[in-house]
């Protein structure tokens, strides 16, 4: 018989140098072959196959003729609520908020809460820009049709459009020309000014105290006065008239 070491630390090491000590701590004892000092591969494979079978049984869709209770258990297991009213949807845009009829159809199709949220997220991310673009195109077509009708037809409008553009760029501040060019009313105003041969609108209006009645009326034709009604600009015109006619 081997004599135990008198060194207590060595003795402890000797007692743990057997077969059990050789088994890694994270390997269950049933998967360890103590004699061979190796994993029991056959036991591992058997456990894995049993686990795989259980998982497939749990998540496999029930047969069409399966009891309703079994179908309900399966739907709950994959995250489908019992009622479409239980979908908790976080709307990413007010136009893509929860819709009861849509939720009902998604629930019938077996959508989980996560899948339903994804549907609404994609609608906000992908569909809204397309709708906005289509609406902008539709409005632009309406504006063009309105212009064509007012200016003698589409062919006539296409003929004079370059002339209006050239006149506007030559006679108006860039920001004013850009603003007028976005609506039918603005383009018609440009055409009217061009037809009358009016001089360019002041790119920087003179101070109100230094203008006469003609200059003030010219300022009134500025979009800042008749279109956007910018308070500061309107005040300058009003103050100018007050000074001219003594009403202030």
């Amino acid at each position: 018989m081997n004599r135990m070491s008198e060194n207590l630390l060595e003795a402890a090491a000797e007692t743990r140098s057997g077969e059990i000590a050789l088994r890694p701590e994270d390997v269950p004892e049933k998967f360890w072959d103590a004699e061979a000092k190796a994993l029991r591969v056959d036991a591992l494979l058997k456990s894995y196959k049993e686990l795989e079978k259980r998982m497939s049984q749990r998540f496999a869709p029930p047969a069409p003729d399966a009891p309703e209770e079994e179908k309900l258990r399966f739907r709950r297991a994959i995250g489908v609520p019992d009622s479409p009213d239980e979908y908790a949807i976080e709307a990413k845009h007010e136009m893509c908020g929860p819709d009861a009829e849509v939720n009902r159809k998604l629930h019938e199709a077996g959508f989980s809460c996560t899948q339903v949220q994804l549907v609404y997220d994609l609608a906000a991310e992908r569909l809204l820009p397309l709708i906005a673009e289509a609406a902008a195109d539709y409005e632009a077509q309406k504006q063009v049709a309105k212009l064509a009708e007012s200016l003698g037809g589409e062919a006539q409008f296409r003929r004079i459009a370059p002339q209006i553009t050239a006149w506007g760029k030559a006679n108006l501040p860039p920001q004013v020309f850009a603003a007028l060019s976005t609506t039918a009313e603005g383009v018609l105003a440009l055409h009217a000014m061009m037809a009358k041969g009016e001089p360019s609108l002041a790119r920087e209006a003179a101070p109100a105290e230094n203008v006469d009645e003609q200059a003030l009326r010219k300022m009134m034709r500025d979009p800042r006065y008749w279109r956007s009604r910018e308070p500061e600009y309107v005040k300058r015109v009003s103050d100018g008239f007050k000074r001219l006619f003594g009403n202030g």
Side-chain angles (χ1 to χ4, degrees), residues 97-161:
D99 182 274
E101 181 61 19
V102 171
N103 290 351
R104 184 185 66 78
K105 292 183 177 180
L106 294 176
H107 187 262
E108 289 178 354
F111 278 54
S112 67
C113 293
T114 301
Q115 291 171 325
V116 169
Q117 180 66 58
L118 179 60
V119 169
Y120 282 93
D121 290 349
L122 289 174
E125 178 183 344
R126 299 293 184 178
L127 291 183
L128 284 182
L130 293 177
I131 294 173
E133 184 178 344
D137 288 344
Y138 175 71
E139 182 60 28
Q141 292 174 6
K142 284 176 56 180
Q143 294 289 321
V144 170
K146 183 177 180 180
L147 278 172
E149 181 180 356
S150 301
L151 296 175
E154 183 177 350
Q156 173 71 359
F157 170 59
R158 292 185 181 279
R159 185 182 67 81
I160 64 176

Side-chain angles (χ1 to χ4, degrees), residues 66-82:
E68 290 301 319
E69 185 177 348
E70 181 179 341
K71 294 180 181 178
L72 183 60
R73 283 199 303 269
F74 171 75
R75 290 167 66 90
R76 288 174 177 171
I78 63 174
V80 180
D82 293 346

